Amino acid sequence: MELVVNPPQQVFDQLIHWAAVTHGWGHMPYDYQFYAKGFDGYWFICMVDPSKDDSTNFVAGGSLARCTDGNGNPLYSIGLFYCQEEYRGQGYGKPVFKAMMDIVGEDNCVLMAAPDMSQKYADIFGFKEMPVYCHNKLIIVPSKMDFAEKISDEYITKNWTEVDPDQLNVYDKSVCFMDRKNRMQLWFSQHQVYTKVAFDSKQNIMGYCTIRVVNLNRLVVDPFYAENPEVAVQLLTDVCKMIPDFETFELLLFRFPAINEGIEVMISQLCPIGSFTIRVANRTQFTRKLLESRDEVVYSVACTTHGFV
């Protein structure tokens, strides 16, 4: 087997296909180029079988990105760490993770760990700084959602292209405490990505919601921020109505911090009993310093591969 960095697109496509089929992770092929363009640094590190071509050679791999935190310090993130089922238990993932951590060095790094892997990442790899709560996964069946004709007179929503990018960035920074302007503008512009921004009567931004189409005929909400449940209902309703043939998608997926109490109010207004499930999904873990965010307004995080808020 051979360790490679930033191999051809076909190798990345193998990873996201098998990760979706076996674990339900939602991605699209364009994510590879988005990570490379949207972050200050990006490394797709993987083990491949050199005896096979680029459409069948993936063995194990992971995605490492670097951005800047709110204090101007480097922040690395690890995601999409995955090994083909037939190669598990043979040590192929270890050199991948080591290569990523060698790049991270002494800087801060974050990942979203599966519950059964959380302690291992803390004990062995030093991802010990974490909030006291987990992130949950909300899974909704789109065809069973119930959208009201009239929701609120207090808020309006606009397409992201109608909103001043600087004003939207100020709001985004108020939630995540980082400057993600260029990255988020690029994110909104990807294929089959739908975004609306909510305003109150004084033209203050009250939240925004992005939903994108991912593999296996699913939709992922990332990100989704709202200052209160009423805004959340308005935003989610309006974005869902933007999506062609919305009711034909298999699932609508959210990843939200467990401390967000507004999510239950939103669900009660849009999702009849039997149309949704909630389960524990991940634990956000850092190596050096836990970075704060306004998680009480986060209804779904941005890009769970390289985002924690």
Side-chain angles (χ1 to χ4, degrees):
M1 301 300 176
E2 180 182 357
L3 185 70
V4 297
V5 180
N6 296 338
Q9 176 74 45
Q10 300 97 307
V11 182
F12 184 84
D13 293 348
Q14 292 177 68
L15 166 58
I16 63 172
H17 168 74
W18 290 114
V21 170
T22 62
H23 286 57
W25 298 351
H27 292 86
M28 289 295 277
Y30 68 72
D31 290 352
Y32 194 12
Q33 294 303 313
F34 169 77
Y35 299 149
K37 295 177 181 177
F39 288 87
D40 301 333
Y42 179 70
W43 302 262
F44 172 37
I45 301 175
C46 56
M47 294 289 289
V48 297
D49 184 342
S51 69
K52 299 179 180 180
D53 64 35
D54 288 336
S55 64
T56 59
N57 63 352
F58 177 79
V59 175
S63 184
L64 175 69
R66 186 187 72 241
C67 64
T68 303
D69 69 16
N71 295 316
N73 300 313
L75 173 64
Y76 289 85
S77 55
I78 291 175
L80 265 176
F81 183 54
Y82 180 85
C83 182
Q84 283 266 47
E85 289 188 322
E86 63 186 284
Y87 296 111
R88 291 178 186 175
Q90 301 177 49
Y92 292 122
K94 292 180 180 178
V96 172
F97 207 88
K98 181 181 184 302
M100 291 192 289
M101 293 306 294
D102 285 346
I103 294 171
V104 172
E106 298 300 314
D107 290 320
N108 200 14
C109 185
V110 61
L111 55 72
M112 297 190 78
D116 61 342
M117 291 292 291
S118 176
Q119 198 60 50
K120 179 178 180 179
Y121 283 124
D123 294 342
I124 299 178
F125 301 109
F127 288 84
K128 297 181 179 181
E129 304 299 321
M130 63 190 84
V132 296
Y133 51 87
C134 292
H135 280 69
N136 294 332
K137 189 172 188 177
L138 168 63
I139 306 170
I140 300 175
V141 179
S143 62
K144 295 183 178 180
M145 294 181 72
D146 185 13
F147 298 115
E149 289 296 324
K150 185 68 174 177
I151 300 171
S152 172
D153 292 322
E154 293 188 47
Y155 308 108
I156 62 168
T157 64
K158 299 179 182 179
N159 191 292
W160 71 276
T161 57
E162 303 174 283
V163 179
D164 178 0
D166 291 329
Q167 184 185 10
L168 183 54
N169 188 48
V170 168
Y171 177 78
D172 188 64
K173 288 170 66 176
S174 78
V175 177
C176 71
F177 307 138
M178 294 184 291
D179 190 338
R180 306 186 298 185
K181 179 181 176 181
N182 293 337
R183 191 189 322 156
M184 297 312 295
Q185 292 288 311
L186 179 62
W187 183 247
F188 301 151
S189 66
Q190 300 302 304
H191 181 56
Q192 292 183 307
V193 174
Y194 306 89
T195 301
K196 277 188 172 288
V197 183
F199 292 84
D200 64 11
S201 59
K202 297 180 180 179
Q203 291 302 299
N204 297 309
I205 292 180
M206 298 296 289
Y208 74 90
C209 176
T210 297
I211 300 178
R212 70 166 180 151
V213 177
V214 297
N215 46 11
L216 304 186
N217 192 40
R218 298 170 298 165
L219 298 166
V220 173
V221 184
D222 58 354
F224 182 11
Y225 310 140
E227 293 300 312
N228 59 58
E230 189 174 14
V231 172
V233 171
Q234 183 77 61
L235 271 170
L236 186 59
T237 297
D238 289 355
V239 178
C240 288
K241 289 181 177 180
M242 290 177 66
I243 301 171
D245 302 315
F246 172 77
E247 67 282 352
T248 66
F249 286 92
E250 294 290 332
L251 300 171
L252 178 64
L253 308 173
F254 300 66
R255 196 73 55 96
F256 68 94
I259 63 166
N260 183 336
E261 298 178 353
I263 198 105
E264 293 186 5
V265 179
M266 182 193 75
I267 292 170
S268 69
Q269 296 188 38
L270 296 175
C271 305
I273 295 175
S275 67
F276 68 93
T277 57
I278 296 177
R279 60 177 174 82
V280 176
N282 303 98
R283 195 73 179 267
T284 302
Q285 302 178 208
F286 296 82
T287 55
R288 300 296 175 187
K289 180 183 179 182
L290 169 64
L291 298 184
E292 302 292 338
S293 54
R294 282 205 302 137
D295 280 355
E296 66 275 9
V297 304
V298 177
Y299 285 71
S300 196
V301 302
C303 177
T304 54
T305 300
H306 292 297
F308 60 96
V309 59

